[in-house]
Amino acid sequence: MHVIEIKNAELMSVLQERLAELGITFGAIVSLIGAVDSFTLSTMPKRDATREIITEYRQPAEMSGSGEVVNGLPHIHATMAIEGDKAVSGHLHKAGVGTWFAHVYVLPMDR
């Protein structure tokens, strides 16, 4: 198990770099926890599961999630808790970590 800490950076790009440094091409992202200053998620329109709706949020959020690493690329589904005791969820494309931190727990797997 590897714990990847991300601070003052864009989560997904730094995570991909760290996975490459660690030689992880396949694995389980068993937990993602932290807080971000901004983030981008996608969901599917209800009438066409082959498309995606990408939404950019310019607000802080508490974050939790899980996912996988396939061919060295992280794929994360996350839930973001935002102001007003609300949550938004979906496929995580970007997350700006600045004020706080993110911890990504990765379990490498043989393919």
Side-chain angles (χ1 to χ4, degrees), residues 11-108:
L11 186 145
M12 296 302 285
S13 61
V14 170
L15 177 57
Q16 187 172 339
E17 289 171 10
R18 290 296 315 277
L19 291 168
E21 290 169 9
L22 293 166
I24 300 172
T25 54
F26 293 93
I29 297 172
V30 296
S31 182
L32 166 68
I33 190 162
V36 299
D37 297 305
S38 62
F39 57 99
T40 302
L41 295 175
S42 69
T43 56
M44 298 176 282
K46 66 181 175 181
R47 289 187 169 74
D48 187 355
T50 64
R51 298 184 54 228
E52 61 183 346
I53 300 167
I54 298 174
T55 306
E56 202 173 305
Y57 296 86
R58 291 194 169 108
Q59 66 185 86
E62 298 279 347
M63 170 180 64
S64 63
S66 60
E68 61 185 355
V69 180
V70 177
N71 294 322
L73 301 175
H75 180 102
I76 297 173
H77 288 193
T79 300
M80 315 301 270
I82 59 174
E83 182 179 15
D85 300 324
K86 297 177 182 173
V88 291
S89 182
H91 173 84
L92 185 63
H93 290 265
K94 293 182 183 178
V97 181
T99 304
W100 297 102
F101 63 88
H103 289 160
V104 185
Y105 296 78
V106 181
L107 182 60

